[in-house]
Amino acid sequence: MDVEQHPFKPFLPVNAQLLMLGSFPPQPKRWKMNFYYPNFINDMWRIFGLIFFGDKNHFIIPDQKIFDEQHLIQFLNEKGVALFDTAMTIRRLKDNASDKFLEIVQPTDIPDLLEKIPQCKAIVTTGEKATETLQTQIQVATPKVGIYETFRFNNKEMRLYRMPSSSRAYPMSVENKANIYRKMFEDLEML
């Protein structure tokens, strides 16, 4: 089986207050842009559109079925939202993006990412595998979906939120997912 290296650099705005961690991007054949959550059927950017603009299509280029990558980057820089994944290198055990069939060969150095974004006050994991991988490096209890647990990093109290997966395979409407994510952004005073 082929080993895949992470295709993106960590997206780390200097003002980042929140670090969002998934597991690993889907195969490039599923991408509609060269940025995080690139699969058009993934709901992450629809969730953000609903929360911040009341429109799930806010970050979609009309009539093209692609996300507006530059608009997303500008927005995330302004809001202070950092993005990466918990795996640097993986093997796909099946030809899909399911976390269930990802073998993590090399995990991401999460403490190193946090060192680069000193204003960060919370991490959000967007799936069970991301949460479990994070917990191999940072001692924190497993939060229930939509809730946070606290942990200490560099003598600073931080939060770990566990949010519903933005994958369409996760059995919840985009509106319900957005309501759960909205609560997190309100808690962090980022909304």
Side-chain angles (χ1 to χ4, degrees):
M1 275 179 273
D2 292 338
V3 172
E4 290 181 48
Q5 294 288 115
H6 201 292
F8 307 134
K9 292 180 180 176
F11 179 77
L12 304 173
V14 293
N15 63 335
Q17 298 180 61
L18 176 67
L19 172 60
M20 293 185 66
L21 296 171
S23 297
F24 199 82
Q27 301 103 314
K29 66 184 178 184
R30 301 185 192 284
W31 296 3
K32 291 295 184 179
M33 64 176 172
N34 291 312
F35 193 63
Y36 294 88
Y37 303 97
N39 188 335
F40 192 72
I41 62 168
N42 187 288
D43 280 330
M44 185 59 75
W45 304 127
R46 290 175 183 88
I47 291 167
F48 271 68
L50 280 167
I51 293 169
F52 291 96
F53 301 97
D55 176 10
K56 69 180 179 182
N57 296 319
H58 182 81
F59 291 108
I60 296 172
I61 297 174
D63 304 321
Q64 292 187 39
K65 287 194 175 182
I66 59 171
F67 296 109
D68 188 337
E69 182 178 338
Q70 292 310 309
H71 187 190
L72 278 166
I73 290 170
Q74 177 186 355
F75 171 78
L76 295 167
N77 272 312
E78 288 170 6
K79 280 293 176 189
V81 177
L83 302 167
F84 201 56
D85 291 301
T86 57
M88 289 294 296
T89 311
I90 58 103
R91 276 191 197 91
R92 293 188 198 277
L93 305 179
K94 290 200 174 183
D95 187 33
N96 62 37
S98 172
D99 282 358
K100 186 176 181 179
F101 302 110
L102 278 186
E103 175 191 343
I104 295 178
V105 176
Q106 178 189 359
T108 298
D109 185 342
I110 306 300
D112 182 60
L113 287 181
L114 290 173
E115 292 282 352
K116 294 174 180 170
I117 48 174
Q119 294 179 47
C120 186
K121 54 188 176 183
I123 296 174
V124 58
T125 51
T126 60
E128 188 174 341
K129 189 171 217 75
T131 305
E132 290 171 356
T133 306
L134 171 81
Q135 289 173 315
T136 65
Q137 299 176 48
I138 294 175
Q139 286 191 324
V140 59
T142 304
K144 293 182 180 174
V145 173
I147 306 296
Y148 71 87
E149 293 286 343
T150 59
F151 67 95
R152 293 198 71 75
F153 179 77
N154 283 351
N155 296 316
K156 176 173 81 171
E157 186 170 287
M158 296 186 69
R159 295 176 180 182
L160 170 64
Y161 287 86
R162 186 166 163 228
M163 291 289 118
S165 171
S166 56
S167 167
R168 294 267 174 98
Y170 192 85
M172 183 183 284
S173 73
V174 66
E175 291 80 10
N176 287 341
K177 290 177 189 179
N179 287 335
I180 295 170
Y181 277 78
R182 180 180 289 109
K183 172 85 170 80
M184 175 189 68
F185 283 109
E186 288 170 349
D187 286 351
L188 296 172
E189 299 177 349
M190 294 177 70
L191 190 56

